Amino acid sequence: MRASRLLSILLLLQTRGRVTAQELADELEISVRTVYRDVESLSAAGVPLYGEPGHDGGYRLLDGFRTRLTGLTTDEAESLFLTGLPAAAAELGLGTVVAATQLKLMAALPAELRDRAERITGRFHLDAPAWYRGADRTPHLTEVADAVWNNRAVRMRYLRWAEPHETTRIAHPYGLVLKAGRWYLVAGAAGRIRTYRISRIIDLHVLDERFSRPAGFDLATHWQAYLEQFDARRHRGEATIRLSPHALDRLPNLVEPAVARAARRTAEAPDADGWTEVTIPIESVGQALPELLKLGADAEILAPAELRERLTTTLDALNRIYGTA
């Protein structure tokens, strides 16, 4: 375990240049004191590294030093072939590059690891798009990807949900995200970091203008925060409902995770009939009505009054169509 950790420190220093003790501790999930001990052990073993004091300090390897201790373990060789996204690479115009890279990697692996890696690729396949939904058309994806890679600004005509629906923007593309089979662009525009769905780009031109990415910007961290804010922005209302035990059990399969979590968090003790009162977030009355109709007679809307009235009106209309009176 410790030998593996020492090797990880050595490879981090080799690939990143200067690394602080705190960064090493965070990366390896160990204490800073353990980092100090490991660095002393590496130095005692003859690894030419040194520390730089001050705010911009950290540990570095002596210029020109390279380690050859980069061999893959069996587990690492197997997991490597689980990280590939051939379909996504093809959409980005990198399909042939990825294929060639995998061929070179396979050729470089020892026979035993090569066999295990081939077994992984033959037994696991990633299909990102959700069920019952066609793939987005993304004719501008490769141009956007090129702009992201080369820090080039773009001018695009974009179809928004809000009015005015069509808008023209100059944007600085920071990164691409593939979520549930749909591509999104995270970009700086009009003084903010915004998210654009690639399929809604009507027209796009890559400009000669280059830009610098914001210092410390991390795409994965930003995207996670964006998802959390997205739920908070669209769920502007609340509904109070009573659920039968059957509906309470089925809820995670019928509503989105944020609604199911809220129901669990706000659930009161069951009443004499075994029904539970919960409070859930909703976007609007119009959006909530068809979602709650999925629960049928296993749910009763208590509030808001408008949502309850809309449900009553809907049930009256259904009764006129299907009723026997």
Side-chain angles (χ1 to χ4, degrees):
M1 182 67 177
R2 185 164 184 267
S4 175
R5 193 174 68 239
L6 291 174
L7 176 57
S8 295
I9 291 175
L10 185 53
L11 293 177
L12 285 169
L13 292 171
Q14 180 171 299
T15 55
R16 297 186 184 179
R18 182 189 63 81
V19 187
T20 67
Q22 187 62 60
E23 288 170 340
L24 289 170
D26 293 341
E27 183 77 23
L28 301 174
E29 298 182 350
I30 57 177
S31 68
V32 172
R33 180 174 296 181
T34 300
V35 170
Y36 292 152
R37 289 199 299 266
D38 287 348
V39 167
E40 288 180 3
S41 297
L42 286 171
S43 180
V47 176
L49 59 82
Y50 60 96
E52 295 178 333
H55 177 71
D56 295 325
Y59 293 110
R60 289 180 182 273
L61 290 171
L62 192 67
D63 290 346
F65 176 81
R66 305 286 293 179
T67 178
R68 294 184 178 274
L69 298 176
T70 56
L72 295 175
T73 67
T74 299
D75 289 341
E76 290 167 344
E78 289 180 343
S79 64
L80 187 61
F81 286 86
L82 286 175
T83 63
L85 292 169
E91 289 186 88
L92 292 169
L94 297 172
T96 56
V97 175
V98 170
T101 302
Q102 287 186 333
L103 284 173
K104 291 179 180 178
L105 179 59
M106 291 290 283
L109 288 174
E112 179 186 353
L113 297 187
R114 184 161 60 245
D115 291 342
R116 296 181 72 103
E118 287 177 339
R119 191 158 60 233
I120 286 289
T121 59
R123 286 164 171 75
F124 296 94
H125 174 68
L126 175 63
D127 183 14
W131 287 98
Y132 315 120
R133 191 177 68 197
D136 276 356
R137 291 186 65 256
T138 54
H140 303 292
L141 180 59
T142 54
E143 293 175 278
V144 173
D146 182 71
V148 168
W149 186 253
N150 293 296
N151 291 344
R152 297 274 293 277
V154 299
R155 182 175 66 250
M156 61 182 180
R157 281 196 302 130
Y158 187 75
L159 189 62
R160 307 192 309 165
W161 298 107
E163 293 185 355
H165 295 299
E166 188 175 311
T167 183
T168 299
R169 291 268 172 85
I170 301 294
H172 294 170
Y174 298 150
L176 285 166
V177 175
L178 177 62
K179 180 172 178 61
R182 291 176 173 172
W183 285 97
Y184 296 88
L185 168 66
V186 176
R192 292 173 48 196
I193 298 180
R194 301 170 182 265
T195 300
Y196 301 95
R197 187 165 153 182
I198 298 294
S199 63
R200 299 184 69 84
I201 296 176
I202 303 169
D203 190 30
L204 182 132
H205 295 281
V206 179
L207 306 177
D208 292 333
E209 174 192 346
R210 295 185 180 272
F211 65 89
S212 298
R213 292 164 62 84
F217 176 78
D218 180 79
L219 181 61
T221 301
H222 169 81
W223 183 256
Q224 184 58 43
Y226 169 78
L227 293 181
E228 294 170 1
Q229 294 166 7
F230 179 74
D231 278 339
R233 286 197 306 271
R234 65 190 180 89
H235 287 147
R236 297 182 178 180
E238 287 185 342
T240 303
I241 60 176
R242 290 176 69 239
L243 297 173
S244 73
H246 180 57
L248 199 60
D249 289 340
R250 294 170 56 219
L251 202 63
N253 299 321
L254 295 176
V255 300
E256 60 182 279
V259 175
R261 287 195 300 268
R264 288 196 302 269
R265 187 175 62 251
T266 61
E268 298 184 359
D271 60 20
D273 298 322
W275 285 49
T276 303
E277 183 175 314
V278 302
T279 301
I280 59 172
I282 61 172
E283 291 185 44
S284 64
V285 168
Q287 173 272 334
L289 180 61
E291 292 299 308
L292 294 178
L293 279 171
K294 296 177 184 177
L295 300 173
D298 284 313
E300 178 190 2
I301 297 172
L302 302 178
E306 182 186 357
L307 180 56
R308 186 180 175 95
E309 291 166 4
R310 286 279 295 273
L311 177 62
T312 301
T313 301
T314 301
L315 294 178
D316 287 343
L318 289 171
N319 187 57
R320 286 195 297 271
I321 296 173
Y322 297 103
T324 58

